[in-house]
Amino acid sequence: MDITVNNAEGLPEKAYVSIRVGEVRKQVQYKPGEKIHFDVKTSPRTFMLDVFEKIGTAQVSLLDLTDVALAETEAGPSLSKIVEITSRRGMPITLDVNVTAA
């Protein structure tokens, strides 16, 4: 099954379109006419369409993550970092991020 957003009005610049069919979600930066493919066994009666606007971004170096005392998993220890982002509107955003290698 392919879903294509042919045209859109009123979207913020560089908006992201998110489409969920069943339990599968795909998210892409909006580009007119871009085809989004879903592998489905039966044709669904509905799908969910969301539009997102990026409000901030940060590039996180995996080398900057620190060991933390979290529960040990089969995948190994968990690493963490506090990531600070300034939104496009100038508001601070702080995220506590944990990464466990798969």
Side-chain angles (χ1 to χ4, degrees):
M1 170 193 216
D2 293 326
I3 298 175
T4 304
V5 180
N6 293 312
N7 192 20
E9 294 181 20
L11 285 181
E13 185 180 339
K14 297 185 179 180
Y16 286 82
V17 174
S18 175
I19 299 174
R20 183 172 56 86
V21 175
E23 298 299 316
V24 177
R25 177 178 298 278
K26 296 196 177 184
Q27 184 172 309
V28 297
Q29 187 172 351
Y30 171 70
K31 293 180 188 120
E34 182 173 0
K35 193 180 296 186
I36 302 168
H37 178 76
F38 290 87
D39 290 321
V40 294
K41 297 190 187 321
T42 61
S43 185
R45 295 195 312 197
T46 63
F47 65 90
M48 191 64 112
L49 176 64
D50 296 308
V51 176
F52 298 105
E53 178 179 11
K54 185 189 301 189
I55 60 170
T57 188
Q59 183 173 353
V60 179
S61 169
L62 293 174
L63 297 176
D64 292 341
L65 299 176
T66 57
D67 290 317
V68 292
L70 294 178
E72 186 76 20
T73 67
E74 289 181 15
S78 188
L79 303 172
S80 75
K81 181 169 180 67
I82 301 296
V83 180
E84 296 179 354
I85 301 171
T86 301
S87 76
R88 294 172 127 181
R89 296 178 180 99
M91 301 297 294
I93 300 170
T94 302
L95 303 160
D96 183 355
V97 180
N98 289 319
V99 177
T100 303

